[in-house]
Amino acid sequence: DLPPRQEYKEAASTAFHDVRVATMSSCKFGHLTFRPFFILLGIILQCLAVVLQIILENSIYHGWRAAKEFYFQFQMATIWFIRYQRNLSPSAIYAEVAVLTA
């Protein structure tokens, strides 16, 4: 003979309740166990983010300074080259052009 339907419902309800309580207990245990690791991981990632931000800011700043310095060096070299070429004799200019084209 099979047990009545009400007994199945009560047994299933008790089983679902026990599974839910066990799952909640496992979640609380996991949270308490790994919480220090999560806190340490958060602190380390925050420090890493600060360091990377400082590196990025300095990289951009130094890159901008290098670009400005390149511009000024290029400008001075161009001015010097033009002045130097004007002071050369025509034969020296032709010899220089011949060397460059060879």
Side-chain angles (χ1 to χ4, degrees):
D1 294 318
L2 294 173
R5 184 176 178 158
Q6 186 63 26
E7 193 175 327
Y8 282 122
K9 286 173 98 178
E10 288 175 8
S13 175
T14 304
F16 286 132
H17 175 70
D18 291 346
V19 168
R20 191 183 66 135
V21 169
T23 304
M24 295 293 286
S25 176
S26 297
C27 288
K28 286 180 182 177
F29 176 73
H31 176 72
L32 291 175
T33 302
F34 293 109
R35 186 170 181 223
F37 296 115
F38 292 144
I39 292 171
L40 285 174
L41 184 64
I43 291 171
I44 290 170
L45 289 177
Q46 185 177 6
C47 292
L48 181 65
V50 169
V51 168
L52 288 176
Q53 183 180 7
I54 291 170
I55 290 172
L56 179 65
E57 287 174 358
N58 286 331
S59 296
I60 291 171
Y61 174 71
H62 288 299
W64 178 249
R65 282 187 58 194
K68 283 175 36 177
E69 185 67 26
F70 170 76
Y71 171 74
F72 290 127
Q73 290 288 331
F74 184 73
Q75 188 179 18
M76 290 297 294
T78 304
I79 292 170
W80 176 84
F81 181 74
I82 291 171
R83 286 184 184 163
Y84 176 75
Q85 290 295 326
R86 286 186 183 161
N87 293 334
L88 289 177
S89 65
S91 60
I93 292 173
Y94 293 135
E96 197 172 300
V97 168
V99 168
L100 290 175
T101 57

